Amino acid sequence: MIWLLFLGLAALALAPLGLALLRPARLTGRREADLALYRAQLAELERERAAGRLDEAAHRAATVEVQRRLLASEGAERQGRAGRGAAALAALLFLVPALGFAIYLRGGNPEVPAAPYVERAEAAARDDALMAQLRARLEQVPADSEAARQGWILLGNAERGRGRWEAAAEAWRRALAARFEGPLAAELAELLIERGALEEAAALLTRALSADPEQPRLRYLTGLAEARAGRTENARSAWRALLAQAPADAPWRALVERRLQELP
């Protein structure tokens, strides 16, 4: 019975793929659909970056890849590949469950229980203890030393990865107190903007821009802070000035242009 259950679940999971194969091809309006998908992918990348799950380099690379795919998607090429795409999808209807079945036969066991909540809670408690231990050790290091600064940066990165925004922000503040630098100030400012601490973010950006007034990320975040604070004209002015000086092939240009279009 359990194998019948597995087969039924596999059929349900692959049902949308089968429906896609049976649906007749629609060429009309395909370009508009591609553009809509492109915008949706960029919005998703922006949400991932804002939530801290994508760093700036990964976000930039993914955005460029989405743009490259859009430029490469021409109607004639898509039409020529339609038959091959349908054949590949049909093959996947068989190969995906077959591969999953083979992997399960190799090492699967339906009797193995899921990890209980107690074990997950214990793992989280161990992480908390490790972070607390690291924090205690950093407290004993001279506050203005490079070792302390690097330690607080690492702790902030770890806390952000765990979704503990306040702890991450506090660690980065300690690192900036040891030695102020623009890139870390931008990381903290972006986090503060997303959490609504606009005044502190603006102060950080002003200080960082005084040392590096042409840094694109600092200028972009300055406009974002102004937009979130409701100062639309200030944000528009900041982003237009940034675009006016940006190279035509700047990978972040599309993001700034989209932000400008979103302003009321």
Side-chain angles (χ1 to χ4, degrees):
M1 290 299 294
I2 193 168
W3 299 114
L4 292 177
L5 176 61
F6 287 164
L7 290 174
L9 291 175
L12 287 175
L14 293 172
L17 186 58
L19 291 175
L21 285 173
L22 296 174
R23 186 182 300 118
R26 295 179 58 188
L27 298 180
T28 303
R30 192 65 178 271
R31 178 66 176 173
E32 289 75 10
D34 285 343
L35 288 173
L37 178 60
Y38 165 74
R39 296 189 187 100
Q41 288 175 329
L42 284 182
E44 179 63 23
L45 289 174
E46 179 62 15
R47 285 192 294 270
E48 291 291 308
R49 185 193 60 77
R53 291 187 287 270
L54 274 180
D55 60 25
E56 194 66 25
H59 174 268
R60 182 166 58 250
T63 301
V64 171
E65 177 61 20
V66 171
Q67 294 170 341
R68 185 195 64 77
R69 288 200 303 266
L70 180 69
L71 293 174
S73 61
E74 296 297 335
E77 294 176 0
R78 287 195 301 268
Q79 185 174 3
R81 291 193 299 264
R84 293 192 298 272
L89 290 175
L92 285 176
L93 283 174
F94 171 76
L95 292 177
V96 170
L99 179 61
F101 182 72
I103 294 174
Y104 187 82
L105 284 179
R106 181 178 178 84
N109 185 352
E111 303 300 326
V112 175
Y117 171 77
V118 173
E119 292 183 8
R120 299 196 301 270
E122 289 176 352
R126 287 194 297 270
D127 291 341
D128 289 340
L130 182 61
M131 294 297 104
Q133 184 179 12
L134 176 57
R135 189 175 290 105
R137 290 182 178 178
L138 288 173
E139 294 285 358
Q140 300 173 3
V141 179
D144 58 349
S145 67
E146 183 62 19
R149 191 182 76 87
Q150 291 294 335
W152 289 116
I153 292 174
L154 291 174
L155 180 61
N157 292 341
E159 294 288 19
R160 181 181 63 176
R162 301 173 68 209
R164 299 185 56 178
W165 313 116
E166 292 298 331
E170 180 57 30
W172 285 341
R173 291 187 188 102
R174 300 286 290 270
L176 288 171
R179 178 164 63 84
F180 191 89
E181 62 175 5
L184 182 57
E187 290 287 342
L188 178 55
E190 188 169 9
L191 180 60
L192 293 172
I193 290 171
E194 295 302 324
R195 310 307 291 177
L198 300 177
E199 291 185 6
E200 184 181 356
L204 276 172
L205 292 169
T206 299
R207 183 179 176 185
L209 281 169
S210 66
D212 191 1
E214 301 302 321
Q215 214 289 326
R217 187 183 183 194
L218 295 173
R219 297 172 67 184
Y220 164 73
L221 290 174
T222 297
L224 184 60
E226 293 294 309
R228 294 289 175 86
R231 295 185 285 269
T232 305
E233 289 306 316
N234 291 350
R236 184 175 287 111
S237 176
W239 285 338
R240 282 177 175 171
L242 176 58
L243 287 175
Q245 299 176 9
D249 59 348
W252 41 263
R253 190 179 186 93
L255 171 63
V256 180
E257 290 173 344
R258 183 165 56 84
R259 288 290 192 183
L260 267 174
Q261 294 173 1
E262 292 172 352
L263 290 176

